[in-house]
Amino acid sequence: MARPGHARSRPSLAEDEDEEAEDPVDAMISRTGCAAQHRELQECMAAQQDWRHCQPQVRAFGECMARRQRAEELRRESGSRQAHNSPARD
C-alpha cells in the first residue's frame, strides 16, 4: 500500500518543460500591465534581501495594481449600466 503523500506520480518531462515556460503568477501579473513594476520590486528584494529597503518599488507596484483595479471596476460598472439600460427584446 502506498504511503500518504506518495499517491501522485512524478510529472513527465513534457510537464516539467511546460511548468518552466511561464509561472501562472507571472502570467497574471503580465495581464495587469504592472509587470515592469513587479520585476523592479523583485530585483530590489533580491539585491537588498529585505522588502523594507524597497519601499519605492513596493509603492509603485501597489499603485499600478490599484489603478488596474479601479479601471476594472469602472469597466464592470459601465457594462452593468449598459446591460440594465438596454431595451428588452421579445
Side-chain angles (χ1 to χ4, degrees), residues 60-87:
F61 181 58
E63 289 168 0
C64 182
M65 292 298 286
R67 282 191 303 273
R68 163 84 158 124
Q69 185 174 3
R70 282 192 300 272
E72 184 62 32
E73 288 169 357
L74 288 173
R75 202 172 9 260
R76 271 192 243 124
E77 286 176 12
S78 175
S80 66
R81 261 186 271 146
Q82 288 176 356
H84 187 292
N85 293 333
S86 65

Side-chain angles (χ1 to χ4, degrees), residues 17-31:
E17 289 173 3
D18 287 344
E19 287 179 19
E20 291 176 12
E22 186 168 29
D23 178 43
V25 174
D26 288 339
M28 180 201 63
I29 291 171
S30 291
R31 288 190 300 270

Side-chain angles (χ1 to χ4, degrees), residues 12-65:
S12 70
L13 184 57
E15 289 172 355
D16 284 343
E17 289 173 3
D18 287 344
E19 287 179 19
E20 291 176 12
E22 186 168 29
D23 178 43
V25 174
D26 288 339
M28 180 201 63
I29 291 171
S30 291
R31 288 190 300 270
T32 67
C34 299
Q37 293 86 349
H38 184 256
R39 186 181 59 255
E40 289 173 11
L41 175 56
Q42 285 184 315
E43 289 172 359
C44 180
M45 288 174 52
Q48 298 293 328
Q49 298 293 310
D50 187 345
W51 65 271
R52 293 172 292 187
H53 296 288
C54 301
Q55 288 307 296
Q57 292 86 352
V58 169
R59 278 191 292 279
F61 181 58
E63 289 168 0
C64 182
M65 292 298 286

